């Protein structure tokens, strides 16, 4: 199947149609920050203003807070009710290539050895419609991690913004299927295809920030014992955890019970390795010092995850750089390690 | 629970509560839904997530032996919110239980070997699962030596086990306390020097140890003095856990996840951990 296209002023109609049979999520600023929100029937203009969301699409599959089960105590003791996602098909429209890669990365973790039914049920029911980047942020460095702003094999369907129209190309069978169900599309010309490619190339050139991943495993390894380095780079960190919150691959969580013993829910919440309580045990805390927690985070992303799953758990989305209140910059930290 | 949701707990019934010490209790428990019992199996060394509904989950090993499946056991030291709630449990109360998780003591490697168990305090809990497992197949193993120690006579857990092993001619049993009291007529001394005094031969022997970090540290030094190599020493590690299945991100030591890759390791494996954070 070749490239299709749709006029941007037809998106609203398309979204209304798509949202009849499934849950459709699009970038929106309605909460005061940019995130993926359910389609509200109205705001299809995100292609005009949005570069990337503040909260990554992981939140749709691994919500910040989710009830896993309900327990109730009756005459016959406890009854457990499983609270799995409902399995309704979802379409997520406008996912950037970095975030699509991030989902593939968290897929490996949540399907490794033990299936995580909450995350995977949502993932299996989702179709990811990507949106290539024409204007990367100055914090972006995806190209250092084998990601291209203009293309993606990690989505089901990829859109490119060529001006008044969006070009669409199916990447997976799911994407092909979705494309065949969309009305209001027309065939794209070879010229338009080339334009999309040019825009992708030019976006690539606009990305100047980078990290050097060559030999990084060994460098990470040898930096481990360099306490001075880790103390130095962690000095200004406030342990607020926003870097882990907005990170598209951070997946650490806590499980706790809510309400009372008679009727309550077991809930999973995002947690963060930046918090001192994260690893606290009654008698000791292996990461009570901040520099140990910072070291854990970067070693996890750039070393341990790579050793265990053959990929670095960073996609260069730059959110942690943008959102950090004290300007901790992952590219500086990795650069510093490479320079040690 | 039907289906494949790894996070769903079985409801278990507490059948018996044993006060071991002032802050340690052991619980006998069983499946509320008996049809689930026959589907369940575990191996010595594995752990599970136990929950008090409304309070939350906590991680403990299964301290009974897979050779004795009439009921399961776990032992808990009172230390935080969930463990305090567990200590309130009475016979007939219900808890949540999911597992077993993690690896186990490699029985096939222990066959035909002399075994030296060195346990401190509540660290005997995972060891006793293996000890009973071994004793229930006594002919498969050579000499069995058990050294157990606690701070004081009042801190000795599993006294009924100690007594049974004391009486068992096929077990060399040594009990010691750091500090005795007026009624204590037994051995007084820290575990590592007592171990050196007993002086088990490393020849065709595996040592299995569990206890508080400081005890482990000096026990490992004593074992080394006695000529044990790191391959001949097994231990089980403890880290803060939530999921138990390698996803929640907190129990790693470098790229090793204690919940999924452990909790049982040889000392050689531990020495080879890439990132010895602690």
């Amino acid at each position: 199947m070749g490239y299709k296209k749709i006029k941007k002023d037809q998106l609203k109609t398309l979204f209304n149609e798509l949202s009849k049979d499934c849950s459709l999520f699009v970038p929106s600023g309605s909460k005061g920050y940019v995130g993926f929100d359910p389609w509200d029937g109205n705001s299809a203009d995100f292609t005009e203003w949005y570069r990337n969301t503040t909260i990554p699409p992981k939140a749709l599959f691994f919500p910040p807070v989710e009830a896993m089960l309900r327990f109730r105590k009756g005459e016959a003791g406890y009854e457990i009710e499983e609270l799995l996602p409902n399995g309704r098909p979802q379409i997520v429209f406008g996912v950037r290539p970095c975030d699509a890669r991030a989902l593939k990365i968290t897929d490996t973790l949540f399907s490794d050895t033990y299936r995580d039914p909450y995350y995977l049920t949502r993932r299996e029911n989702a179709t990811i419609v990507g949106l290539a980047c024409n204007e990367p942020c100055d914090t972006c460095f995806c190209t250092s991690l084998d990601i291209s702003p203009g293309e993606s094999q990690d989505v089901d369907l990829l859109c490119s913004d060529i001006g008044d129209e969006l070009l669409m190309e199916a990447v997976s069978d799911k994407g092909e299927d979705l494309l065949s169900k969309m009305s209001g599309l027309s065939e794209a010309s070879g010229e338009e295809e080339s334009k999309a490619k040019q825009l992708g190339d030019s976006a690539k050139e606009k990305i100047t920030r980078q990290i050097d991943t060559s030999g990084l495993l060994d460098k990470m390894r040898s930096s481990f014992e360099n306490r001075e380095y880790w103390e130095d780079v962690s000095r200004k960190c406030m342990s607020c955890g926003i870097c882990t919150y907005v990170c598209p691959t951070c997946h650490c969580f806590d499980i706790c019970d809510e309400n009372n013993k008679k009727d309550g829910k077991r809930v999973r919440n995002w947690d963060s390795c930046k918090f001192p309580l994260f690893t606290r045990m009654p008698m000791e805390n292996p990461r009570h010092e901040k520099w140990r927690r910072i070291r854990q985070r970067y070693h996890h992303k750039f070393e341990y995850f790579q050793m265990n799953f053959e990929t670095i758990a960073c996609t260069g989305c730059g959110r942690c750089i943008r959102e950090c209140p004290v300007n901790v910059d992952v590219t500086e930290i990795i650069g510093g390690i490479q320079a040690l | 629970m039907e289906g494949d949701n790894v996070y769903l707990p079985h409801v278990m019934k507490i059948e018996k509560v044993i006060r071991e010490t002032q802050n340690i209790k052991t619980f006998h428990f069983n499946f509320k839904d008996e049809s689930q019992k026959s589907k369940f199996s575990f191996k010595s060394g594995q752990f599970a997530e136990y929950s008090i509904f409304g309070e939350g989950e906590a991680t403990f090993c299964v301290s009974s032996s897979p050779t004795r499946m009439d009921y399961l056991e776990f032992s808990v030291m009172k230390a935080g919110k969930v463990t305090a709630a567990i200590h309130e449990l009475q016979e007939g109360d219900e808890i949540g239980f999911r597992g077993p998780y993690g690896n186990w003591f490699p029985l096939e490697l222990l066959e035909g070997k002399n075994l030296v168990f060195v346990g401190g305090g509540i660290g005997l809990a995972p060891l006793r699962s293996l000890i009973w497992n071994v004793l229930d197949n006594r002919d498969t193993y050579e000499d069995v030596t058990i050294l157990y120690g606690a701070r004081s006579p009042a801190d000795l857990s599993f006294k009924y086990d100690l007594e049974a092993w004391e009486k068992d001619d096929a077990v060399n049993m040594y009990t010691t306390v750091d500090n005795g009291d007026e009624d204590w007529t037994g051995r007084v001394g820290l575990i590592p020097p007592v171990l050196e005094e007993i002086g088990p031969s490393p020849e065709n022997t595996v040592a299995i140890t569990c206890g508080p970090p400081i005890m482990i540290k000096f026990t490992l030094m004593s074992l080394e003095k006695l000529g044990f190599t790191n391959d001949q020493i097994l231990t089980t590690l403890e880290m803060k856990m939530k999921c138990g299945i390698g996803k929640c991100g907190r129990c790693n030591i470098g790229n090793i996840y204690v919940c999924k890759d452990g909790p049982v390791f040889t000392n050689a494996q531990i020495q080879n951990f890439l990132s010895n954070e602690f």
Side-chain angles (χ1 to χ4, degrees):
Chain A
M1 203 184 241
Y3 286 80
K4 303 278 182 187
K5 63 176 181 180
I6 186 168
K7 281 204 171 330
K8 282 187 191 167
D9 59 16
Q10 292 301 304
L11 277 179
K12 196 169 156 177
T13 315
L14 176 70
F15 289 166
N16 282 336
E17 207 174 284
L18 290 177
S19 60
K20 277 181 198 153
D21 305 316
C22 69
S23 309
L24 173 68
F25 293 86
V26 298
S28 138
S30 67
K31 291 198 189 91
Y33 58 84
V34 185
F36 286 93
D37 284 346
W39 166 243
D40 65 357
N42 225 339
S43 336
D45 62 344
F46 59 86
T47 54
E48 303 309 314
W49 55 264
Y50 133 95
R51 291 192 178 184
N52 206 351
T53 53
T54 309
I55 302 298
K58 77 171 178 189
L60 296 173
F61 305 102
F62 170 50
V65 179
E66 81 176 305
M68 308 176 89
L69 59 92
R70 181 177 181 185
F71 50 84
R72 262 171 293 191
K73 194 175 184 183
E75 302 258 301
Y78 278 106
E79 288 291 332
I80 312 277
E81 183 194 345
E82 185 180 30
L83 300 176
L84 273 183
N86 62 19
R88 186 175 154 86
Q90 291 186 11
I91 297 173
V92 188
F93 205 102
V95 175
R96 297 299 189 185
C98 55
D99 289 341
R101 176 68 57 82
L103 290 173
K104 296 280 180 181
I105 292 171
T106 44
D107 287 352
T108 57
L109 185 275
F110 282 116
S111 53
D112 175 55
T113 316
Y114 295 90
R115 265 179 58 84
D116 188 293
Y118 300 92
Y119 174 90
L120 291 173
T121 302
R122 295 191 185 93
R123 276 292 279 144
E124 283 154 11
N125 288 311
T127 305
I128 304 295
V129 181
L131 180 59
C133 302
N134 293 349
E135 291 296 331
C137 308
D138 61 5
T139 43
C140 290
F141 58 101
C142 64
T143 46
S144 298
L145 293 141
D146 285 332
I147 297 165
S148 263
E151 54 200 347
S152 175
Q153 291 301 309
D154 303 313
V155 296
D156 295 305
L157 184 69
L158 183 67
C159 300
S160 307
D161 184 346
I162 53 166
D164 294 334
E165 286 158 321
L166 288 188
L167 211 64
M168 293 186 177
E169 183 200 9
V171 175
S172 72
D173 291 348
K174 254 187 192 175
E176 196 100 31
D177 189 48
L178 179 62
L179 202 56
S180 70
K181 284 183 194 149
M182 289 180 177
S183 57
L185 303 187
S186 53
E187 298 292 329
S189 67
E191 215 168 280
E192 285 161 330
E193 258 180 65
S194 328
K195 185 168 185 195
K197 197 174 173 310
Q198 274 167 20
L199 285 165
D201 289 343
S202 107
K204 214 177 201 173
E205 278 166 27
K206 287 177 195 161
I207 295 174
T208 52
R209 198 182 280 262
Q210 48 185 290
I211 59 167
D212 177 10
T213 59
S214 63
L216 187 56
L217 258 187
D218 289 341
K219 280 287 191 176
M220 291 303 298
R221 182 95 308 284
S222 57
S223 78
F224 187 83
E225 299 290 351
N226 195 331
R227 176 171 174 166
E228 205 185 336
Y229 181 74
W230 291 108
E231 281 185 336
D232 189 42
V233 298
S234 61
R235 200 154 286 132
K236 60 185 176 181
C237 171
M238 304 193 299
S239 297
C240 73
I242 191 67
C243 51
T244 56
Y245 204 79
V246 298
C247 176
T249 67
C250 272
H251 55 264
C252 291
F253 59 83
D254 189 12
I255 298 173
C256 46
D257 285 6
E258 279 188 351
N259 301 346
N260 56 48
K261 292 184 175 188
K262 291 232 162 79
D263 185 351
K265 284 175 180 167
R266 183 153 296 160
V267 177
R268 164 153 82 182
N269 307 292
W270 286 359
D271 205 342
S272 172
C273 61
K274 289 295 187 71
F275 298 153
L277 292 186
F278 187 61
T279 50
R280 194 182 72 171
M281 294 181 280
M283 307 299 181
E284 57 180 331
N285 185 352
R287 297 190 195 115
H288 63 288
E289 290 156 297
K290 191 169 65 179
W291 66 270
R292 292 180 187 273
R293 300 196 291 275
I294 302 270
R295 180 178 68 174
Q296 158 66 15
R297 180 155 193 271
Y298 294 102
H299 272 268
H300 183 214
K301 293 205 165 298
F302 292 94
E303 187 192 2
Y304 312 149
F305 204 92
Q306 193 178 357
M307 293 176 72
N308 295 345
F309 299 110
E310 289 167 2
T311 176
I312 288 175
C314 171
T315 62
C317 74
R319 285 186 178 87
C320 54
I321 308 172
R322 282 201 295 286
E323 303 302 330
C324 179
V326 292
N327 300 321
V328 173
D329 182 337
V330 55
T331 61
E332 283 172 17
I333 288 178
I334 299 303
I337 289 169
Q338 287 287 22
L340 282 175
Chain B
M1 294 291 112
E2 297 303 321
D4 60 352
N5 188 341
V6 66
Y7 296 102
L8 282 193
H10 293 286
V11 177
M12 301 296 230
K13 257 196 160 22
I14 298 293
E15 292 185 339
K16 191 176 175 184
V17 182
I18 300 167
R19 176 175 281 283
E20 301 284 359
T21 71
Q22 183 257 328
N23 63 351
I24 298 173
K25 282 184 176 178
T26 294
F27 303 87
H28 294 189
F29 64 104
N30 237 320
F31 287 83
K32 182 183 177 187
D33 174 358
E34 279 178 32
S35 69
Q36 293 297 320
K37 188 172 178 176
S38 55
K39 295 182 202 160
F40 178 82
S41 67
F42 77 101
K43 290 177 170 149
S44 293
Q46 288 193 293
F47 68 93
E49 292 295 329
Y50 299 74
S51 51
I52 300 286
F53 295 107
E55 296 288 351
E57 292 186 314
T59 313
F60 310 101
C61 71
V62 182
S63 64
S64 49
S65 166
T67 51
R68 301 175 175 209
M69 289 296 279
D70 288 348
Y71 51 84
L72 300 164
E73 292 176 68
F74 74 115
S75 298
V76 178
M77 184 189 284
K78 192 169 162 179
K81 181 176 102 122
V82 178
T83 53
I86 289 173
H87 267 242
E88 298 294 313
L89 285 172
Q90 306 286 325
E91 203 179 300
D93 283 349
E94 291 177 353
I95 59 167
F97 173 89
R98 59 183 179 91
Y101 301 131
N103 70 352
W104 47 85
F105 292 109
L107 280 179
E108 63 288 353
L109 295 182
L110 305 182
E111 283 177 16
K113 297 261 170 33
N114 303 310
L115 305 179
V116 177
F117 295 93
V118 186
I122 196 169
L124 188 57
L127 298 187
R128 73 187 282 271
S129 171
L130 179 61
I131 291 172
W132 282 118
N133 197 332
V134 162
L135 295 181
D136 287 340
N137 298 286
R138 187 63 190 87
D139 296 344
T140 316
Y141 310 92
E142 296 297 314
D143 285 355
V144 173
T145 302
I146 303 169
L147 167 58
Y148 177 59
R151 270 182 306 212
S152 73
D155 290 309
L156 291 168
S157 290
F158 311 107
K159 293 191 183 77
Y160 40 93
D161 285 342
L162 306 180
E163 218 168 280
W165 299 333
E166 196 73 58
K167 281 185 195 145
D168 189 337
D169 292 338
V171 176
N172 309 311
M173 181 68 210
Y174 303 89
T175 306
T176 183
V177 294
D178 300 353
N179 299 293
D181 58 25
E182 57 269 32
D183 299 325
W184 181 251
T185 54
R187 198 180 297 264
V188 176
L190 295 170
I191 290 170
V194 173
L195 175 63
E196 287 177 40
E197 193 190 314
I198 300 166
S201 157
E203 180 112 5
N204 192 38
T205 306
V206 175
I208 306 108
T209 182
C210 184
I214 188 78
M215 172 221 131
I216 294 288
K217 186 178 164 192
F218 288 101
T219 298
L220 291 176
M221 286 160 68
S222 296
L223 286 169
E224 196 187 334
K225 256 191 227 171
L226 291 167
F228 282 78
T229 63
N230 286 332
D231 283 320
Q232 287 174 281
I233 302 169
L234 286 168
T235 189
T236 163
L237 297 182
E238 194 180 7
M239 284 286 282
K240 177 83 170 174
M241 293 178 193
K242 285 285 179 173
C243 71
I245 54 174
K247 307 202 191 297
C248 79
R250 44 170 76 50
C251 72
N252 69 304
I253 303 173
N255 71 317
I256 301 294
Y257 282 74
V258 173
C259 68
K260 203 162 66 77
D261 303 315
V264 176
F265 296 97
T266 66
N267 200 37
Q269 287 173 311
I270 293 171
Q271 298 306 319
N272 282 332
F273 283 171
L274 280 174
S275 307
N276 216 336
E277 287 186 66
F278 316 119

